[in-house]
Amino acid sequence: MKKILLAAVLFIATSATIQAQLLQIGVKAGVNFASQTGDASMQGVAFDKDGITSYHAGLVAEIKLLDKFSVQPELLYSTQGATYKNAVDEFKNELGYLSIPVMAKFYLTDSFSLEVGPQASFLLSEKNDFDVKDAETFEFGLNAGVGFKITKNFFVQGRYGLGLTEASKNADVKNSTVQISAGFMF
């Protein structure tokens, strides 16, 4: 009986250790340098675009599949958009998304990784300085970037995200975002 109990305890401890090595969950946050690409004319009036600085924050998981390959799904709140100007008006269009990137991570060393993957984003809020609610409610895009593990738990990431679908119903624009993140894995 003692041998069976000891074997069960060793099995559970080994399983927990293996699971901890295969799956890590954490949090991340950072700054967005966001802009919108494409034609910025609205209702026949041309506008110049400038980027905005905003933020992102959320949950992250890393699933180790091979020695040098992991998949990293994330659940982030991310604000994107741009500032529009013409000779008469200037307004800021800030879009708040629930973004779900799924990144393939290729480790070049134990600490340094290249990341690439798709992202689905769902519009949660739209703040602008004019009375038009014209943002699309869904956006699909691609991300690419790099990651660096400072320690076993702390990491930093840099990423570029390009929207592949239109961000607006009335203008031919797509979101473009550079993200700098820091995070902690539990």
Side-chain angles (χ1 to χ4, degrees):
M1 182 68 175
K2 290 181 183 180
K3 289 181 182 180
I4 293 173
L5 186 58
L6 181 61
V9 168
L10 287 175
F11 176 75
I12 292 170
T14 303
S15 297
T17 302
I18 290 171
Q19 184 177 358
Q21 291 174 352
L22 298 179
L23 172 67
Q24 284 189 297
I25 296 174
V27 294
K28 71 181 257 186
V31 64
N32 287 350
F33 301 100
S35 186
Q36 292 181 325
T37 63
D39 181 19
S41 62
M42 293 180 208
Q43 299 158 345
V45 178
F47 286 88
D48 291 328
K49 296 181 301 243
D50 285 329
I52 63 171
T53 302
S54 57
Y55 65 94
H56 63 277
L59 303 173
V60 60
E62 185 171 345
I63 304 162
K64 187 174 183 175
L65 299 177
L66 299 171
D67 188 40
K68 298 285 184 181
F69 178 73
S70 296
V71 174
Q72 182 172 301
E74 301 175 5
L75 184 63
L76 304 174
Y77 180 78
S78 178
T79 55
Q80 301 173 32
T83 300
Y84 291 86
K85 301 178 202 175
N86 69 8
V88 179
D89 291 324
E90 176 179 341
F91 61 89
K92 181 177 178 180
N93 188 23
E94 186 175 292
L95 307 171
Y97 290 99
L98 174 64
S99 296
I100 307 170
V102 179
M103 306 299 289
K105 294 179 72 169
F106 302 94
Y107 280 93
L108 302 178
T109 68
D110 288 341
S111 298
F112 185 73
S113 63
L114 298 177
E115 305 171 359
V116 64
Q119 175 175 293
S121 298
F122 301 91
L123 184 69
L124 297 178
S125 66
E126 181 177 5
K127 297 178 191 171
N128 48 36
D129 298 334
F130 60 109
D131 194 23
V132 177
K133 301 291 183 191
D134 70 339
E136 294 287 352
T137 58
F138 176 78
E139 180 191 48
F140 181 77
L142 289 177
N143 294 322
V146 296
F148 185 74
K149 289 184 178 180
I150 298 170
T151 67
K152 181 181 175 190
N153 299 94
F154 289 102
F155 66 90
V156 292
Q157 293 175 323
R159 182 180 295 170
Y160 175 72
L162 177 64
L164 299 178
T165 57
E166 302 295 327
S168 172
K169 296 175 187 170
N170 298 324
D172 183 23
V173 295
K174 297 176 182 173
N175 286 317
S176 171
T177 309
V178 173
Q179 293 182 330
I180 307 296
S181 309
F184 181 81
M185 299 299 263
F186 299 102

